[in-house]
Amino acid sequence: MPEDLKQQLLAPENFNLEGIDLDRLPLNEVFGQLRTTRQGLSSEDAEVRLKIFGSNKLEKKPENKFLKFLSFMWNPLSWVMEAAAQMAIVIANGGGQGPDWQDFVGIVCLLIINSSISFIEESNAENATAALMARLTPKTKVLQDGQWKEKDAAVLVPGDIISIKFGDVIPADARLLEGDPLKIDHSALTGESLTVTKETGDEVFSGSTCKHGEIEAVVIATGVHSFFGKAADLVDSTEVVGHFQQVLTSIGNFCICFITVGMILEIIVMFPIQHRLYRDGINNLLVLLIGGTPIAMPTVLSITLAIASYRLSQRGAITKRMTAIEEMARMDVLCSVKTAALTLNRLTVDRNLIEVFNRDMDKDILVLLAARASRLENQDAIDAAIINMLADPKEARANINEVHFLPFNPVDKRTAITYTDSEGNWYRASKGAPEQILNMCREKEEIGGKVHEIINKLAEKGLRSLAVAVQEVPEMTEDSPGGPWSFCGLLPLFDPPRHDSSDTIHRALNLGVCVKMITGDHLAIAKETGRRLSIGTNMYPSSLLLGRDKDENEALPVDELIEKTDGFTDVFADINMKL
């Protein structure tokens, strides 16, 4: 089997989603392409594939510590100092006198001090990051040799069968096998605050989180070949010279030009005209070479950045690159993701916009009915939002006896609970998609127009609507159809801003930093969030930057669009670099 595997999948570059299209093929063909079964791989096959495809992690390119240390001496200012050191030890060795050891040692010490400060600080930051990542090494359940085993996610390979359950971070790109639908949180990849329902055959991406359900899946891509890995590799492969380095290079180039011209003039004056002695002339040239170089500047800058790095570390920020501190200090545009940065990444019910349709109810009763139709354990994002509206989560089951609970499924698009109250009366409460709930209710013809009008108004503000209905169950049996459903009302859901976001944005604006929002959410949701945070509502979909939908905005050039916009929507991980 391992030999056959090598013949079919010759190298990682021959295995890619574009070439084999594993995200669209029928599941049976996926198993054929991956040469695996629903019973998983054998340990031997997994080891062979691990050698072919590599670890399921973003490999860091190995670097030579000594060469990295020397790299801090490779810049124009250091070149001038290194030239001065060579002149002091080599060229000055003449005229009956030995080398100028004092200048040589002093210059070399300054070079070593400058490089050591930057090297030590960056090494400490890398060690701190590595220690943090080591503690966060994810585990996953893998079916190998016909048995479920818990292994590091780093050893997953294409063809592995994995188990995904509530709370798991998806360890690799995979296709879902047969089972109940999952609710997946893509906010880490796209910024979408709402969960996405995934069914059998659908693809799930590495880095996303399972918010509801449990199912098995077959791995189709790992490491740098995954959706997240490709985006991360794009970031790592992009080399940008920072402003700090550009300034130092400009100063160094100016010093080199100035000193070179000065030395040429001094040589012409001293030797052909004044006929100076060799050693006297070299000493004068050495004075010009050292005096014309801001020798202390790299040391001062390194110490200043080291102090800044220390202060940032006290605030919980890790500095991986010293020059990034200066680059952050001079930024004038801050592109911030919406979910979890500007917002809480937690759905909430906007109580002020709740709409009650049943005259015998108020907002509190409507919320209570919705809470009864929610799970208390293994909650999805919507269940958690409803339960959090109560003063005490136990109120959702207080004074009632749960008979049966219908979990959410993509067909019914609702949840329901059958329960009895303290007097023994049977009721059934349901919450879900407004259209589904409305179609069940007896008064749908009378209130349908008003319901759709409110839903549209909430949608314009970027809010998602959740409907609630209730019915009596006179038959007093779990499977009975019950009496007519009564439409109770609508609950608006949204991802609220963080309590400190607005203040942070205003502080940034006062410092001259323009804040733009980047999100994978839809345009209406982004505009509402921008309005609440005072960022602005002048936002556009990212497709305008990628050459699509230009007909609608032909009068607005891309450069002007980027300058004037308050944010971009429908942004995925691979689009961030282009922005």
Side-chain angles (χ1 to χ4, degrees):
M1 180 70 177
E3 296 299 328
D4 295 339
L5 175 63
K6 287 183 179 180
Q7 292 175 8
Q8 177 169 343
L9 304 178
L10 299 178
E13 55 267 19
N14 295 332
F15 179 84
N16 57 80
L17 295 180
E18 293 78 11
I20 303 181
D21 207 17
L22 291 175
D23 56 336
R24 293 184 177 89
L25 287 177
L27 276 178
N28 290 334
E29 294 186 27
V30 171
F31 279 96
Q33 289 285 351
L34 294 176
R35 310 214 47 193
T36 185
T37 67
R38 296 175 188 271
Q39 286 71 45
L41 301 171
S42 66
S43 300
E44 293 79 8
D45 290 338
E47 291 178 3
V48 171
R49 298 190 185 206
L50 188 61
K51 294 178 181 178
I52 294 176
F53 300 108
S55 299
N56 180 33
K57 59 183 180 180
L58 302 179
E59 297 288 352
K60 183 179 178 182
K61 296 179 180 179
E63 58 181 2
N64 187 297
K65 294 292 185 180
F66 180 69
L67 294 179
K68 182 179 180 181
F69 176 78
L70 293 180
S71 68
F72 292 104
M73 300 182 186
W74 190 254
N75 56 75
L77 281 177
S78 296
W79 296 341
V80 177
M81 295 173 65
E82 291 159 7
Q86 293 178 16
M87 180 175 289
I89 195 66
V90 178
I91 300 179
N93 186 17
Q97 300 182 37
D100 190 347
W101 289 106
Q102 293 179 341
D103 287 341
F104 174 77
V105 172
I107 294 171
V108 171
C109 287
L110 283 175
L111 282 170
I112 294 176
I113 291 173
N114 293 342
S115 300
S116 297
I117 292 174
S118 298
F119 178 79
I120 292 172
E121 287 298 322
E122 290 199 9
S123 297
N124 289 340
E126 290 180 359
N127 293 337
T129 304
L132 177 62
M133 296 304 295
R135 293 202 303 269
L136 298 177
T137 301
K139 301 282 188 178
T140 189
K141 284 189 175 180
V142 188
L143 183 59
Q144 286 185 0
D145 299 320
Q147 296 180 344
W148 286 103
K149 305 175 182 179
E150 186 176 61
K151 292 193 172 186
D152 290 340
V155 300
L156 286 181
V157 294
D160 268 329
I161 304 298
I162 60 174
S163 174
I164 302 172
K165 64 181 184 301
F166 169 75
D168 286 349
V169 177
I170 309 299
D173 289 359
R175 293 281 299 276
L176 300 183
L177 303 183
E178 292 75 11
D180 295 331
L182 297 183
K183 286 190 176 180
I184 301 295
D185 179 7
H186 281 165
S187 59
L189 301 178
T190 66
E192 291 178 282
S193 55
L194 301 179
T195 57
V196 179
T197 301
K198 296 287 186 177
E199 303 177 19
T200 298
D202 288 344
E203 182 181 11
V204 290
F205 297 114
S206 171
S208 52
T209 306
C210 177
K211 292 295 187 179
H212 179 77
E214 184 173 354
I215 202 171
E216 296 175 9
V218 55
V219 175
I220 62 173
T222 59
V224 295
H225 307 291
S226 66
F227 177 80
F228 178 78
K230 290 178 181 178
D233 186 61
L234 181 62
V235 174
D236 291 339
S237 62
T238 303
E239 297 183 3
V240 179
V241 179
H243 177 262
F244 185 79
Q245 296 292 348
Q246 292 177 355
V247 171
L248 288 182
T249 300
S250 298
I251 294 174
N253 290 336
F254 174 80
C255 290
I256 291 175
C257 295
F258 172 79
I259 292 172
T260 301
V261 173
M263 290 182 67
I264 293 174
L265 293 176
E266 190 170 12
I267 289 173
I268 294 174
V269 172
M270 286 191 304
F271 294 110
I273 299 177
Q274 297 181 349
H275 303 288
R276 294 284 190 94
L277 296 176
Y278 173 79
R279 185 54 183 263
D280 290 341
I282 294 299
N283 288 339
N284 289 337
L285 291 175
L286 196 58
V287 169
L288 178 60
L289 188 59
I290 297 176
T293 307
I295 294 178
M297 187 178 71
T299 305
V300 173
L301 291 175
S302 297
I303 294 175
T304 302
L305 294 177
I307 295 173
S309 176
Y310 173 74
R311 291 184 176 178
L312 286 173
S313 67
Q314 290 181 317
R315 298 191 178 189
I318 298 176
T319 307
K320 292 193 67 174
R321 186 165 50 90
M322 295 281 286
T323 55
I325 298 174
E326 189 274 341
E327 292 170 13
M328 182 177 66
R330 65 177 293 273
M331 71 177 175
D332 55 4
V333 175
L334 172 62
C335 292
S336 173
V337 295
K338 178 184 76 69
T339 306
L342 298 177
T343 62
L344 294 173
N345 193 22
R346 185 177 67 238
L347 286 180
T348 303
V349 177
D350 192 332
R351 180 177 287 272
N352 296 327
L353 297 177
I354 292 177
E355 292 287 343
V356 181
F357 283 78
N358 193 314
R359 296 178 181 177
D360 299 328
M361 296 181 182
D362 57 16
K363 292 183 178 181
D364 292 333
I365 295 178
L366 180 63
V367 171
L368 180 60
L369 286 174
R372 286 177 177 174
S374 303
R375 284 189 181 275
L376 297 183
E377 297 85 18
N378 293 335
Q379 300 172 342
D380 61 17
I382 295 178
D383 286 345
I386 302 298
I387 296 298
N388 288 336
M389 291 292 292
L390 303 176
D392 185 351
K394 295 180 180 180
E395 294 180 17
R397 298 293 185 269
N399 302 320
I400 68 170
N401 180 37
E402 180 180 334
V403 178
H404 177 261
F405 188 88
L406 174 68
F408 178 89
N409 64 78
V411 177
D412 297 326
K413 296 183 179 179
R414 65 185 182 92
T415 63
I417 182 175
T418 304
Y419 65 93
T420 60
D421 62 11
S422 57
E423 298 178 358
N425 298 316
W426 284 57
Y427 295 94
R428 189 174 287 131
S430 181
K431 75 175 191 329
E435 198 65 37
Q436 295 291 107
I437 298 295
L438 183 62
N439 288 335
M440 299 190 310
C441 298
R442 58 188 173 188
E443 62 268 66
K444 63 179 180 181
E445 299 296 337
E446 293 82 6
I447 65 174
K450 183 179 179 181
V451 170
H452 287 110
E453 181 183 351
I454 294 174
I455 292 174
N456 292 333
K457 287 183 178 180
L458 293 175
E460 290 175 359
K461 294 182 178 181
L463 276 69
R464 181 180 180 182
S465 300
L466 188 73
V468 181
V470 67
Q471 71 171 170
E472 296 181 3
V473 187
E475 300 91 347
M476 295 186 179
T477 59
E478 176 184 324
D479 299 327
S480 61
W485 285 93
S486 174
F487 193 88
C488 300
L490 292 170
L491 301 175
L493 298 171
F494 76 109
D495 185 13
R498 296 169 59 97
H499 67 279
D500 56 349
S501 292
S502 182
D503 180 60
T504 302
I505 290 171
H506 283 101
R507 288 172 58 191
L509 292 174
N510 292 334
L511 293 172
V513 178
C514 177
V515 180
K516 299 183 186 293
M517 184 167 64
I518 308 297
T519 178
D521 272 331
H522 299 300
L523 186 61
I525 297 176
K527 286 186 175 182
E528 176 63 13
T529 304
R531 183 189 66 80
R532 292 180 181 237
L533 292 173
S534 301
I535 292 178
T537 59
N538 184 30
M539 300 188 185
Y540 298 94
S542 61
S543 56
L544 294 179
L545 297 179
L546 303 177
R548 300 191 295 270
D549 301 337
K550 283 188 174 181
D551 293 341
E552 302 176 5
N553 297 273
E554 286 184 349
L556 196 62
V558 173
D559 292 345
E560 186 178 349
L561 175 68
I562 294 175
E563 287 289 335
K564 292 186 176 181
T565 187
D566 296 318
F568 288 98
T569 64
D570 303 309
V571 177
F572 292 88
D574 56 343
I575 302 177
N576 279 324
M577 280 302 299
K578 296 178 181 178
L579 285 176

